[in-house]
Amino acid sequence: MKLDDARRLSARTLALLLATALRAPAQEPEAIKARYAEIATRITAAALLKNDGYARLEELCDGVGSRLSGSPGMDRAIKWAESAMRRAGLDEVRLQPCRVPTWRRGEALLELLRPRREALPLLALGGSVPTPKGGLTADAVVVRSFAELDALPREGVEGRIVVFDVPYEGYGKTVQFRSLGASRAARKGAVAALVRSAGFGGNRTPHTGALRYEDDAPKIPAAALAPEDSAMLGRLAAAGAAPRLTLELSCSVGPDAPSANVIGRYRGRETPEEYLVVSGHLDSWDVGQGAQDDGGGCVSVLEAVAVLNRLRLRPRRSIDVVFFTNEENGLRGAHAYRDEVAKNPELCVGAYENDGGVERPTSFLITYPSGESRPSRRAAPDSRPSDPATARRFDRFAATVERVHGLACGVAGLGGGGADIGPLLDLGIPTLSPRTVGTRYFEWHHTAGDTLDKVDREDLDRHIAAQAALFYIWADLDERL
Ligand SMILES: [Zn+2]
């Protein structure tokens, strides 16, 4: 902590830090395991026996539906979330307002004109500008990487529609073509960009998602193709058939609109001003129901706390359940939250986000705010920090996770976090997330097929049970993780 920051600390906070320092010495991993063995078993058993997670998710998916931030659906979702948090037994429920972009998809049409006519399914990318009314018609130029695009002469791209037919090699690696492809193509004079969806193929389904226009490039319309159609255009181009396309998008951008994060506190029994953040994002894309992304994540963290409430279990510190707005296309909710936490960052002992789908959980991952473990989102799941101080903290975390046993979820690793809680790392707050088997998530992610039926009840139960035990222990430990 810098001296300036220390001077800004309130007297109350200083007293709290002093009290923490005077407590018993750090619990060793074995002591943590022994102390929480019985209670962890009680919590997970109770959660597996009965929870309302699936019923809550049904209310959100079928009752509210899709909820792009800034849309009437998201406004309904915020009202639902306030009610759901109250029903779950949270003590204080409030809205944290912020303004969010408003983007409307409108209609989308894509027709192959040459070598034969066929309408192809597509989804505009979030934030895309529209085409001129009546659409635009141009030859397609198909590339499989940015290097291939860069190697083309300008006259080979100018006036054409660039198709990024890049095979899916994992979300982190492939999503850059969706985010940046339009601007990269526009710099060479392209009139539109089409990207192979960042996800698994198999059902000829396009996956939407946000794009990012760079300031130095003209804004051109952009949309996602189903992997199957992208591959077909690639084959036609390679065979010399010179595919020609007509594209029409009628997306629109309105003025920023009011929205809010929904925050509920489950008050701690000893130091309620200290808190753990457990979160998901309430907004979703406008196609599908946002069941896996991220209705399931939201419901799972809320229901984990509801289980503690039903058992009348209060950890030492508070647990704040946060449903973020605008994760999908702006992170305005995440920034509003970070700004609030930044006023007293020492009160926040850690942040957890469940935003990778609610397939069967396998492990919990952590990222520490400093040291060599910081850039470790891609670290091996069984890695351990090499600097001794962080390694000692990590061993306490591993002991905590090991207590969440019986759920095939007792494995700890490095690399946890989430888009909404990422900014909290800069405030010195460690971030956590679950890892799942991830078998089918990227088949549904950002598609019209992300609907309630894709969520398996038993998998959701496991998230709730494992999280309930983890949150309790984490918020109750003598010393911070
Ligand atoms: Zn998400």
Side-chain angles (χ1 to χ4, degrees):
M1 188 182 300
K2 289 195 285 293
L3 196 61
D4 277 359
D5 296 334
R7 284 206 190 94
R8 276 200 293 273
L9 290 180
S10 65
R12 194 190 53 153
T13 307
L14 281 170
L16 185 73
L17 288 176
L18 194 64
T20 308
L22 291 175
R23 266 185 213 141
Q27 286 165 298
E28 291 311 312
E30 288 311 314
I32 291 175
K33 282 194 242 174
R35 175 161 158 198
Y36 292 105
E38 188 265 318
I39 206 160
T41 306
R42 234 175 94 205
I43 292 169
T44 50
L48 292 173
L49 196 65
K50 181 195 168 343
N51 71 69
D52 295 330
Y54 209 88
R56 294 247 156 79
L57 189 57
E58 194 171 332
E59 292 170 6
L60 179 62
C61 291
D62 292 346
V64 174
S66 78
R67 41 199 186 276
L68 187 60
S69 59
S71 72
M74 183 59 181
D75 294 344
R76 285 197 304 276
I78 289 169
K79 289 203 173 72
W80 168 83
E82 284 186 275
S83 147
M85 285 188 185
R86 293 213 166 86
R87 284 181 282 149
L90 300 190
D91 302 296
E92 302 149 37
V93 178
R94 66 189 168 100
L95 298 186
Q96 179 183 49
C98 66
R99 297 188 76 79
V100 296
T102 55
W103 175 83
R104 295 289 167 270
R105 176 172 303 282
E107 301 297 317
L109 288 167
L110 179 67
E111 193 178 9
L112 178 67
L113 302 176
R114 188 178 63 212
R116 59 191 167 76
R117 293 186 81 123
E118 184 186 359
L120 305 177
L122 86 164
L123 284 174
L125 295 183
S128 174
V129 296
T131 61
K133 253 192 162 41
L136 53 84
T137 298
D139 287 352
V141 52
V142 183
V143 297
R144 289 169 67 90
S145 66
F146 284 138
E148 222 176 278
L149 174 70
D150 294 344
L152 289 172
R154 190 176 172 90
E155 54 278 18
V157 178
E158 204 158 26
R160 295 176 198 234
I161 297 173
V162 171
V163 178
F164 290 95
D165 179 38
V166 185
Y168 182 70
E169 288 181 34
Y171 192 67
K173 192 163 174 197
T174 310
V175 73
Q176 57 176 321
F177 297 95
R178 186 192 82 204
S179 313
L180 303 172
S183 288
R184 295 288 285 262
R187 270 191 217 118
K188 295 197 87 161
V191 292
L194 297 172
V195 298
R196 178 154 158 167
S197 290
F200 303 154
N203 294 306
R204 205 183 181 188
T205 301
H207 301 227
T208 189
L211 61 67
R212 198 170 82 229
Y213 287 125
E214 310 228 291
D215 292 337
D216 65 342
K219 292 182 178 179
I220 59 171
L225 293 166
E228 292 87 339
D229 291 317
S230 175
M232 175 189 69
L233 293 175
R235 290 192 301 271
L236 288 173
R244 190 168 172 79
L245 299 163
T246 287
L247 171 70
E248 183 168 13
L249 302 178
S250 61
C251 335
S252 60
V253 182
D256 284 0
S259 188
N261 297 325
V262 187
I263 304 176
R265 171 159 290 191
Y266 185 59
R267 215 177 290 121
R269 68 168 194 277
E270 266 182 38
T271 53
E273 58 277 52
E274 285 188 303
Y275 62 97
L276 173 67
V277 182
V278 302
S279 68
H281 65 84
L282 188 59
D283 66 308
S284 74
W285 281 103
D286 52 338
V287 296
Q289 295 183 324
Q292 287 278 356
D293 186 14
D294 183 31
C298 287
V299 157
S300 77
V301 297
L302 176 61
E303 197 55 27
V305 180
V307 165
L308 300 182
N309 181 52
R310 280 198 287 275
L311 290 171
R312 302 267 176 270
L313 285 172
R314 295 251 166 201
R316 188 194 300 272
R317 304 177 188 83
S318 295
I319 301 175
D320 280 8
V321 179
V322 181
F323 289 177
F324 287 99
T325 185
N326 191 224
E327 188 273 345
E328 295 291 5
N329 59 336
L331 293 174
R332 304 272 186 90
H335 293 146
Y337 189 69
R338 187 253 340 260
D339 291 348
E340 185 184 289
V341 174
K343 291 174 191 160
N344 288 99
E346 66 288 344
L347 294 180
C348 180
V349 301
Y352 177 95
E353 183 162 30
N354 187 330
D355 181 26
V358 285
E359 290 181 278
R360 179 168 295 209
T362 57
S363 52
F364 289 109
L365 308 181
I366 190 166
T367 297
Y368 292 101
S370 59
E372 103 289 351
S373 75
R374 171 73 190 261
S376 64
R377 291 299 302 270
R378 272 168 225 90
D382 56 353
S383 54
R384 183 172 180 275
S386 56
D387 83 87
T390 313
R392 273 196 299 279
R393 296 172 72 192
F394 181 79
D395 289 343
R396 290 204 298 277
F397 167 63
T400 302
V401 169
E402 209 179 294
R403 267 304 132 228
V404 187
H405 55 83
L407 299 162
C409 201
V411 183
L414 288 175
D420 295 300
I421 56 174
L424 300 179
L425 276 172
D426 293 332
L427 303 176
I429 296 162
T431 60
L432 274 89
S433 56
R435 173 175 291 212
T436 76
V437 291
T439 315
R440 298 187 64 187
Y441 182 62
F442 283 103
E443 188 181 317
W444 309 313
H445 180 253
H446 296 186
T447 74
D450 183 4
T451 47
L452 181 66
D453 50 287
K454 307 306 186 302
V455 176
D456 179 89
R457 280 172 197 270
E458 200 183 301
D459 288 347
L460 183 65
D461 286 348
R462 284 168 182 260
H463 278 263
I464 293 166
Q467 288 172 169
L470 175 70
F471 298 168
Y472 179 82
I473 302 172
W474 188 8
D476 195 69
L477 285 172
D478 289 347
E479 209 178 26
R480 299 169 173 216
L481 285 179

